[in-house]
Amino acid sequence: MREMASGQNVVMPTASRKAPRSSTSANSAVATPRVARTPRSHHYHVYVIELADQVWNVGRFHRANPDYQLGKPFVYVGMTGLDPDVRFDKHKAGIQSNVFVFRYCLRLLPALYAAYNPMPYEAARDMEVELGIALREAGYGVWQA
């Protein structure tokens, strides 16, 4: 407290300090489990988008898939630093979109990619190629950017 010239006492604010927590406080009796967080660098995803059957009529797509097995789906395999749902919405809106996805996209196929995500950039880059090769070998019609 300081006394002003007029004789009034004024309380001056002081810097707030947190009191140190004692090990016997009520909060320490409850153990909070630590949740393992993925490292910040592990925010890349691979994703698979199903394409409409009409994509088979495009020459470039047809030539890229000579071993396509009739009845298997047509897919686009990509990788992103965003959530796959957000990236899918951007493809549909034409924002940095692949032409086949923009014109022929149907839906995401999380059953084909969810087990791998998230991962670091290098792993996502490699996984995109490996997943595309594996799907092609399984008879899918695959396009990768």
Side-chain angles (χ1 to χ4, degrees):
M1 268 199 293
R2 293 175 101 181
E3 188 173 323
M4 295 184 69
S6 63
Q8 296 176 341
N9 290 331
V10 177
V11 176
M12 299 297 291
T14 58
S16 64
R17 291 186 216 154
K18 289 185 174 180
R21 296 181 84 174
S22 67
S23 61
T24 59
S25 70
N27 292 339
S28 66
V30 177
T32 56
R34 297 198 119 207
V35 177
R37 295 176 56 187
T38 57
R40 189 169 163 88
S41 64
H42 288 51
H43 72 277
Y44 292 91
H45 302 268
V46 293
Y47 60 96
V48 179
I49 297 174
E50 184 177 4
L51 303 174
D53 292 341
Q54 291 83 4
V55 75
W56 189 240
N57 298 328
V58 179
R60 283 186 347 176
F61 193 93
H62 195 95
R63 285 189 300 274
N65 294 284
D67 298 327
Y68 171 72
Q69 294 176 8
L70 192 62
K72 295 278 186 163
F74 300 106
V75 296
Y76 171 84
V77 178
M79 74 159 267
T80 181
L82 303 171
D83 182 78
D85 291 323
V86 173
R87 185 65 185 112
F88 180 67
D89 291 340
K90 286 188 171 198
H91 271 298
K92 289 194 312 185
I95 301 169
Q96 296 179 336
S97 181
N98 177 275
V99 67
F100 294 133
V101 177
F102 181 66
R103 292 182 185 165
Y104 304 106
C105 70
L106 296 177
R107 63 176 181 229
L108 284 169
L109 297 174
L112 298 176
Y113 65 83
Y116 308 117
N117 295 331
M119 61 185 89
Y121 176 80
E122 292 80 17
R125 188 182 59 207
D126 295 340
M127 180 57 69
E128 176 191 4
V129 174
E130 291 173 16
L131 186 57
I133 291 169
L135 291 173
R136 252 195 203 102
E137 288 174 353
Y140 286 66
V142 179
W143 189 264
Q144 288 180 268

